[in-house]
Amino acid sequence: TSTSATLADARRMCAAGRFHAATDLLLDAFRGDPEDAEIALELGATMRACGDFSCAIEYLQRAHNVEPQDARTVAELVLSYHALDQHEAASHVLIRSLARGLRSEQLALHLRDAA
């Protein structure tokens, strides 16, 4: 699908250190489908990798609202909040997600990978 190709291209760009190119690609995709949680997640993760934690939170929160049990989204969101010293917000996301069925083992793996 188009979304899969876009995500694959963006991930290759990030792996090559081309974060701004990946961000541009993902922003275009997001504008085309602002309800796509995968695009919002990838855009937020890319923004976090660039150090733009406030923007990262904006997109990650959109993905989290759609899929509150997605371990990668929660990990990225928690790490972004922590980077801005917003520990209470990070705790709130974590508690809410665990209450909605997030598996702690999956979260631990994604936290390790995203850190």
Side-chain angles (χ1 to χ4, degrees):
T1 67
S2 176
T3 299
S4 296
T6 298
L7 291 170
D9 288 346
R11 289 177 183 139
R12 278 193 292 278
M13 289 175 189
C14 286
R18 299 176 53 217
F19 296 106
H20 294 290
T23 299
D24 289 342
L25 177 68
L26 291 165
L27 278 171
D28 284 342
F30 180 80
R31 287 183 194 111
D33 188 1
E35 302 301 318
D36 188 317
E38 286 183 292
I39 295 292
L41 165 58
E42 202 63 39
L43 185 53
T46 302
M47 294 286 203
R48 188 178 77 81
C50 291
D52 191 343
F53 302 111
S54 294
C55 281
I57 288 169
E58 178 182 334
Y59 293 105
L60 292 167
Q61 191 61 57
R62 285 175 171 264
H64 181 66
N65 289 340
V66 175
E67 297 182 22
Q69 299 163 329
D70 182 76
R72 181 173 175 226
T73 302
V74 173
E76 292 284 347
L77 193 51
V78 165
L79 291 172
S80 295
Y81 277 125
H82 276 292
L84 294 175
D85 291 326
Q86 295 180 10
H87 306 295
E88 188 174 320
S91 296
H92 178 73
V93 167
L94 188 56
I95 291 167
R96 184 176 96 173
S97 298
L98 290 168
R100 291 185 174 180
L102 174 66
R103 296 185 50 138
S104 59
E105 306 84 33
Q106 291 175 334
L107 178 61
L109 293 173
H110 284 283
L111 282 169
R112 182 197 68 205
D113 293 344

